[in-house]
Amino acid sequence: MDFDKKIDRAGTEALKLEFRKKVFGSEEVLPLWVADMDFAVPEAVSQAICERAKHPIYGYTSRGDTFFSAIADWLKRQHNWETEPGWIEYTPGVVPTLVLAVQAFTKPGDKVVIQPPVYPPFFNVIKDHEREVVENPLVNTPGGYHMDFDHLEQVVADPAVKLMLFCHPHNPVGRVWEKAELERLGEICLRHKVLVVSDEIHADLTLNGFVHLPMASLSRELAANTITCMAPSKTFNIAGLNTSYIVVPNRELMVSMKEQIQAFHLFTGNMFGAVALEAAYKQGGPWLEQLKVYIRGNIDLVLRFLAKEMPEVKAHRPQATYLMWLDFSAWKMAPSELKRFIIEEARLGLNDGPAFGSQGEGFQRLNVASSREVIKQALTQLLAARNTLKGKG
């Protein structure tokens, strides 16, 4: 796979391009924001979709045993997680699944815990449904981000807290949570009867020897208190096919989730999504390993560039994902001014840090899942804008 090849996405209704004017006020920014990749999917996925497309009828379809067995086999190979057929169910996306879980296990006025800075929809799926956000902020240290377990213990002691939306690996800070961290979080939630909904959509994208441990795989007790959300979308760049799934060992929890899926009529799905998932999980492993090597190279490029040219801009090396969380706080810009500078001076379309919570002030999220040439261009534009700024100072 040639990840250096630049693929023109113009004319494909790519959200990262089409929404530039709406999000950034300009179509002239280099878009490195939406969490998909500018890389072609594995050839096996393209072939499988094309083969199915040859049949001239695209009516309602079901997902057969091969769909679920492909997931189970992938989880076993990739994450050493033994699952059972009844534990897995289709959903149209991880974010819709978070909404379903909020609806299923809380009522208006209940509280839901999140750990900012975190993926912005974590806030929305709570507030949009008249539940209250409770923050257990991550702690940023020179060695990376960590969880504040003492504070978590305090907030979940509130009986109004019913649910925790957990990001694992974490977006945007790139942490792969370790076994001891997962066990401690799980034990706290169990003791206070707080259900864990674990967003593990980036699970396959671990880097530099880090290993993802599914929360529910650690013990029967944690499995019984966890709803795991996964998908091939980030892994294989097929987010537009709207195919994800949940893994729920607890039968009562699964029944409640299925009731929500049924109530909102979200069970039909996308035939091409199912075809793509099966092909990716059965044949996409070698492509994924090549991808991760390339992503590591792009991350190395950014870190070397910052260290040499802009040492005041900090970034922890991501343990997973193709997302980098850049800390511009040394520039001492107000959040609105930093946002304006990145867009108007550097001409970059990045994710604005405050969208991830107040802990994101002074930060921008960079997606490095593009050709190396594009990442170099982004860094060059950033440096030129920063040098111009210093010259004015």
Side-chain angles (χ1 to χ4, degrees):
M1 174 68 192
D2 182 9
F3 293 102
D4 281 323
K5 181 180 179 181
K6 292 177 67 175
I7 300 175
D8 186 3
R9 298 180 66 178
T12 66
E13 303 299 329
L15 190 148
K16 69 183 296 183
L17 300 178
E18 301 301 331
F19 273 39
R20 283 182 294 180
K21 183 69 173 179
K22 178 179 180 179
V23 174
F24 304 107
S26 171
E27 296 181 352
E28 300 307 314
V29 295
L30 184 64
L32 297 169
W33 59 299
V34 175
D36 63 11
M37 301 186 278
D38 289 332
F39 305 133
V41 301
E43 186 176 354
V45 172
S46 297
Q47 290 178 345
I49 291 173
C50 289
E51 189 62 32
R52 175 60 185 87
K54 289 178 182 178
H55 193 289
I57 297 176
Y58 308 137
Y60 294 115
T61 56
S62 63
R63 284 166 297 280
D65 291 342
T66 56
F67 176 83
F68 296 99
S69 64
I71 294 171
D73 290 346
W74 178 259
L75 295 178
K76 173 59 178 174
R77 292 196 315 275
Q78 196 74 10
H79 303 295
N80 196 30
W81 188 12
E82 292 275 7
T83 58
E84 298 180 10
W87 294 3
I88 302 171
E89 184 56 77
Y90 161 83
T91 65
V94 168
V95 173
T97 302
L98 300 181
V99 174
L100 297 179
V102 167
Q103 295 279 15
F105 303 109
T106 67
K107 61 183 184 298
D110 284 345
K111 298 178 179 180
V112 181
V113 177
I114 60 174
Q115 294 178 312
V118 72
Y119 182 50
F122 273 46
F123 293 90
N124 302 334
V125 300
I126 301 168
K127 293 187 292 186
D128 289 351
H129 298 278
E130 301 178 343
R131 277 68 167 173
E132 183 178 336
V133 172
V134 176
E135 297 188 7
N136 170 227
L138 299 179
V139 180
N140 189 8
T141 75
Y145 279 86
H146 298 281
M147 289 191 252
D148 185 342
F149 291 108
D150 291 338
H151 182 259
L152 177 63
E153 187 87 53
Q154 293 173 22
V155 299
V156 299
D158 182 346
V161 173
K162 305 296 184 183
L163 195 68
M164 179 174 188
L165 302 184
F166 182 50
C167 198
H168 170 46
H170 195 279
N171 170 13
V173 309
R175 271 299 314 276
V176 174
W177 303 115
E178 298 175 0
K179 184 178 180 182
E181 294 172 305
L182 296 170
E183 289 176 336
R184 187 169 180 188
L185 180 143
E187 186 276 328
I188 291 171
C189 289
L190 274 171
R191 185 156 31 85
H192 292 281
K193 296 181 173 56
V194 173
L195 178 64
V196 177
V197 179
S198 187
D199 171 3
E200 303 188 15
I201 196 170
H202 292 281
D204 302 323
L205 294 168
T206 52
L207 305 167
N208 302 307
F210 285 91
V211 176
H212 176 81
L213 297 173
M215 181 79 167
S217 71
L218 299 182
S219 71
R220 290 184 179 180
E221 293 77 15
L222 293 183
N225 194 53
T226 304
I227 293 171
T228 304
C229 308
M230 290 179 148
S233 52
K234 304 299 183 190
T235 311
F236 296 104
N237 206 25
I238 54 175
L241 295 177
N242 293 98
T243 295
S244 70
Y245 55 92
I246 50 175
V247 186
V248 190
N250 184 319
R251 186 177 181 279
E252 290 184 8
L253 297 181
M254 178 62 94
V255 168
S256 295
M257 288 300 293
K258 285 186 174 181
E259 287 175 350
Q260 291 295 316
I261 294 169
Q262 181 71 34
F264 289 96
H265 291 260
L266 298 174
F267 47 81
T268 53
N270 180 321
M271 72 171 69
F272 293 113
V275 167
L277 178 146
E278 290 188 40
Y281 278 177
K282 290 177 181 178
Q283 302 177 62
W287 180 93
L288 174 59
E289 292 309 308
Q290 294 175 48
L291 168 72
K292 293 200 290 186
V293 169
Y294 195 84
I295 293 297
R296 286 198 299 268
N298 279 356
I299 291 170
D300 288 343
L301 170 66
V302 173
L303 293 176
R304 286 196 305 267
F305 188 93
L306 293 180
K308 180 181 179 182
E309 305 290 351
M310 286 182 285
E312 76 280 8
V313 178
K314 306 297 183 182
H316 298 300
R317 178 182 292 277
Q319 299 170 351
T321 82
Y322 45 75
L323 306 168
M324 298 189 71
W325 189 231
L326 305 184
D327 181 358
F328 294 88
S329 58
W331 288 5
K332 300 188 183 306
M333 288 183 173
S336 59
E337 176 58 19
L338 176 61
K339 179 180 179 179
R340 187 207 66 78
F341 175 85
I342 294 295
I343 295 170
E344 296 182 13
E345 306 297 332
R347 294 179 293 109
L348 296 175
L350 309 182
N351 293 97
D352 193 33
F356 298 79
S358 60
Q359 301 79 6
E361 292 184 2
F363 289 78
Q364 296 279 309
R365 192 186 75 171
L366 166 67
N367 179 347
V368 298
S370 291
S371 72
R372 199 144 296 154
E373 180 182 342
V374 168
I375 303 305
K376 288 178 180 178
Q377 178 184 345
L379 295 172
T380 299
Q381 290 177 200
L382 180 61
L383 179 62
R386 177 264 212 172
N387 289 344
T388 300
L389 178 68
K390 289 183 68 176
K392 290 179 180 178

